[in-house]
Amino acid sequence: MTEIVREAMEYDVVIVGAGPAGLSAAIRLKQLDADMNVVVLEKGSEVGAHILSGAVLDPCGLDALIPDWKEKGAPINVPVKEDNFYVLGEAGKIRVPNFPMPKLMNNHGNYIVSMANVCRWMAEQAEELGVEIFPGMACSELVYGENGEVKGVVAGEFGKNADGTQGPGYEPGMELHGKYVFLSEGVRGSLSKEVMAKYDLSKGHCPQKFGIGMKEIWEIDPEKHREGTVTHTMGWPLGANAGGGSFIYHLDNNQVYVGFVVHLNYENPHLFPYMEFQRFKHHPMVAELLKGGKRVAYGARAISEGGYQSIPKVTFPGGALLGCSAGLVNVPRIKGNHNAMLSGKAAAEAAFDAIKAGRQSDELTGYEAELREGAIGQDLKKVRNVKPLWSKFGLTASLALGGLDMHMNEKFGKSFLGTLRHGKTDAAATGKAADHKPIDYTRPDGVLSFDRLTNVSFSFTNHEESQPAHLQLKDPSIPVNVNLPEYAGPSARYCPAGVYEFVEEEGKDTRFVVNFQNCVHCKTCDIKDPSQNINWTTPQGGDGPNYPNM
């Protein structure tokens, strides 16, 4: 094959990912130095295309970055008015009073937002400052310098055939070099995964833990809509099968965000996270809310849940990990956007200081220190034991002990439990099928609950079918020869988009089929596969979900 020759462009800072972390870094760099040369590369077809709307935003990150965001017209208009916490049974519910909750669980002062629209607005602010933003530009490779440092990325490579060879319309893309490269790809990004392995960034830290979050946007009967209401539930339908819970957020325009999270450290390989979500909507409380409404969008993504003790080293020669690439979600609060923004701001300030001092391509130790000792570290340290308590002792004990531990951290700044550690990876936590009972799931009714392929159509996902599959099997024989007999083929269930299926035809051997065109880029397969045989890589730029502007 002819050696690929690419043109190169030089920048002060190259940022991969136009989410809240990457855009915050870009904005802060230009605030500090209007002449700083900054580029942001986004794999989605536009900024926000890969962010399904619906979150409760703690505005502290935006307050620090753009204090006058209200005057500048940020799409943040629905303050939280009411907090509800319920433990569900199959037909009933018990409300958990608000008064015993730790203060950090109070959503007073927070806002229900579309993060897709917030990021679109942030992109406008960045561009007004002179940041270059290129959507539809997936970053497929890292570029390394002579001393092993990260020097840049390859972006915009298009036109490969399905077998990986160059097609007639092949475009090699460009190398974008930076004095520093920021990776803000979200959870389990392919470039972040590469640098974590190359520089052993997780050494000395707990393994990262994850959840799969699925979300639908509904338009409901105006008489049932309660703008500003936030509801969280735990318990049914998961029970003892898995940790997790739900969220229901009432935005404006009679819209409700209905979401469900399943912790990926579940043991029973027969568990079907997507169907648990669909079953949840048939609970009387939820069914009554959604009755007469219509679902208008669907999506899914993995969530980093390891917290403080799972944050890897966030700097490496030539760059840094930002936001969910570093795992900065506060699990009990179900919030990470504020920490993503703060991480982008902190990384930008460290890079500015380094470049001003004549440095480049080294480690931004100031960013590492600020992340762990500043506002982000303080936020995550207070809740560091909630997830391991839940994993070890289940829901009831975690509610009591986790709540007490958070109170202790708030009042005294320390925990009587110290810092509990996470054990196995989520993949290693998967049990053998023979040791667990299958779970029966009722067929979706097409009114409240839906089959996966129908729901995927509401994510407006699109992949060019002639390109190489971005979901790569390290060993094609493992799904049928190992995962099917030992784990009952869990990929057919843990994927929320129906990408993987085992096809059985009379007189033929079982086949494992990868329908990569359905992929909504959640990365669950890369995380949960018990054989760690699936590698998620970035597809061509612009491919994947195209979530609506809501």
Side-chain angles (χ1 to χ4, degrees):
M1 181 182 292
T2 305
E3 182 179 355
I4 298 174
V5 178
R6 296 185 174 99
E7 296 182 9
M9 295 181 67
E10 303 294 331
Y11 290 89
D12 289 312
V13 180
V14 174
I15 301 172
V16 180
L23 291 170
S24 294
I27 289 169
R28 186 58 180 152
L29 284 163
K30 295 295 281 188
Q31 287 174 339
L32 291 167
D33 184 352
D35 295 325
M36 190 80 72
N37 201 2
V38 182
V39 64
V40 178
L41 304 164
E42 166 58 36
K43 67 181 173 69
S45 60
E46 63 169 326
V47 173
H50 289 180
I51 302 175
L52 181 60
S53 305
V56 173
L57 177 68
D58 180 340
C60 66
L62 202 55
D63 288 341
L65 184 70
I66 308 175
D68 57 345
W69 53 266
K70 288 184 180 180
E71 291 75 12
K72 291 189 177 217
I76 302 174
N77 304 308
V78 181
V80 176
K81 299 175 183 175
E82 182 181 353
D83 260 330
N84 299 306
F85 298 88
Y86 293 101
V87 177
L88 300 185
E90 186 169 359
K93 62 183 185 292
I94 299 173
R95 178 162 183 176
V96 179
N98 291 44
F99 69 85
M101 293 281 186
K103 290 181 181 179
L104 61 88
M105 298 295 290
N106 188 338
N107 276 308
H108 177 74
N110 298 331
Y111 294 81
I112 303 173
V113 300
S114 159
M115 278 312 298
N117 287 338
V118 170
C119 286
R120 291 182 180 103
W121 176 82
M122 291 179 70
E124 292 173 0
Q125 307 309 302
E127 287 180 323
E128 287 179 6
L129 292 170
V131 175
E132 295 181 42
I133 300 177
F134 298 137
M137 293 285 280
C139 297
S140 54
E141 297 178 38
L142 290 167
V143 179
Y144 294 99
E146 295 179 357
N147 298 314
E149 77 280 9
V150 172
K151 179 182 176 181
V153 297
V154 173
E157 186 177 25
F158 293 95
K160 283 187 175 180
N161 295 318
D163 62 1
T165 59
Q166 298 174 13
Y170 177 72
E171 294 287 343
M174 298 187 66
E175 290 189 4
L176 293 96
H177 300 164
K179 295 172 182 174
Y180 294 99
V181 176
F182 291 166
L183 300 181
S184 51
E185 304 172 285
V187 173
R188 198 79 164 193
S190 53
L191 303 186
S192 303
K193 186 177 170 184
E194 181 179 330
V195 299
M196 288 178 69
K198 179 178 177 64
Y199 301 109
D200 200 12
L201 301 184
S202 292
K203 183 179 180 180
H205 304 282
C206 288
Q208 186 59 264
K209 308 294 285 183
F210 299 92
I212 173 62
M214 297 153 286
K215 189 184 302 178
E216 294 173 357
I217 304 177
W218 281 70
E219 291 179 358
I220 65 168
D221 182 341
E223 293 186 2
K224 300 176 183 179
H225 186 252
R226 301 289 182 268
E227 184 176 306
T229 297
V230 168
T231 298
H232 292 102
T233 77
M234 295 169 284
W236 189 88
L238 292 172
N241 284 322
S246 82
F247 55 89
I248 301 173
Y249 302 151
H250 291 243
L251 195 67
D252 49 8
N253 300 319
N254 299 318
Q255 287 191 342
V256 174
Y257 303 142
V258 182
F260 199 79
V261 178
V262 178
H263 300 171
L264 288 177
N265 62 350
Y266 62 83
E267 294 182 7
N268 188 344
H270 301 289
L271 187 81
F272 198 157
Y274 175 84
M275 289 305 298
E276 296 287 348
F277 175 31
Q278 300 306 303
R279 184 160 63 164
F280 159 75
K281 290 182 290 175
H282 286 274
H283 188 277
M285 180 185 80
V286 186
E288 178 58 32
L289 175 69
L290 300 181
K291 183 180 179 181
K294 64 176 182 178
R295 159 215 49 177
V296 296
Y298 165 75
R301 59 164 290 182
I303 303 167
S304 58
E305 295 187 337
Y308 184 80
Q309 52 272 64
S310 293
I311 300 173
K313 183 180 179 184
V314 294
T315 62
F316 50 86
L321 301 173
L322 277 56
C324 283
S325 291
L328 305 182
V329 171
N330 184 312
V331 173
R333 298 184 73 198
I334 319 181
K335 292 179 180 63
N337 290 308
H338 63 300
N339 284 337
M341 293 177 183
L342 291 171
S343 73
K345 178 176 179 291
E349 290 168 352
F352 167 76
D353 289 341
I355 293 171
K356 188 177 179 180
R359 292 163 42 206
Q360 67 178 73
S361 299
D362 58 359
E363 294 203 27
L364 297 170
T365 55
Y367 168 56
E368 182 89 34
E370 171 59 27
L371 187 145
R372 296 187 186 278
E373 299 167 13
I376 297 171
Q378 292 169 16
D379 180 57
L380 297 180
K381 199 168 185 179
K382 292 175 184 176
V383 302
R384 65 192 182 278
N385 290 326
V386 173
K387 170 67 175 176
L389 282 169
W390 197 332
S391 298
K392 294 176 190 296
F393 302 114
L395 172 60
T396 304
S398 72
L399 280 174
L401 289 174
L404 178 60
D405 190 66
M406 285 189 283
H407 276 298
M408 291 287 291
N409 275 290
E410 282 186 338
K411 190 169 184 179
F412 302 109
K414 58 183 179 180
S415 167
F416 65 93
L417 296 173
T419 298
L420 300 179
R421 296 185 63 80
H422 300 296
K424 303 174 182 177
T425 66
D426 293 332
T430 310
K432 299 294 180 69
D435 298 330
H436 297 273
K437 293 182 180 180
I439 302 172
D440 292 326
Y441 292 99
T442 303
R443 182 187 296 270
D445 65 1
V447 179
L448 287 177
S449 50
F450 312 96
D451 66 83
R452 280 183 295 184
L453 295 186
T454 299
N455 238 353
V456 167
S457 72
F458 281 78
S459 70
F460 308 98
T461 292
N462 179 66
H463 292 87
E464 173 55 55
E465 295 188 18
S466 63
Q467 69 179 298
H470 66 282
L471 300 164
Q472 300 172 353
L473 302 179
K474 299 174 186 177
D475 183 342
S477 70
I478 282 179
V480 171
N481 294 340
V482 178
N483 287 355
L484 185 59
E486 293 190 17
Y487 302 99
S491 57
R493 291 178 295 279
Y494 60 56
C495 173
V499 168
Y500 305 101
E501 59 178 327
F502 293 87
V503 177
E504 297 180 353
E505 298 173 310
E506 188 174 351
K508 297 182 180 180
D509 293 335
T510 300
R511 294 184 295 116
F512 184 64
V513 178
V514 180
N515 304 298
F516 74 89
Q517 300 89 344
N518 296 350
C519 180
V520 294
H521 297 195
C522 75
K523 324 281 180 59
T524 301
C525 55
D526 193 299
I527 296 162
K528 184 60 177 173
D529 185 74
S531 300
Q532 286 295 272
N533 188 50
I534 300 173
N535 185 39
W536 191 97
T537 63
T538 185
Q540 290 184 163
D543 283 5
N546 284 277
Y547 296 129
N549 297 353
M550 292 183 173

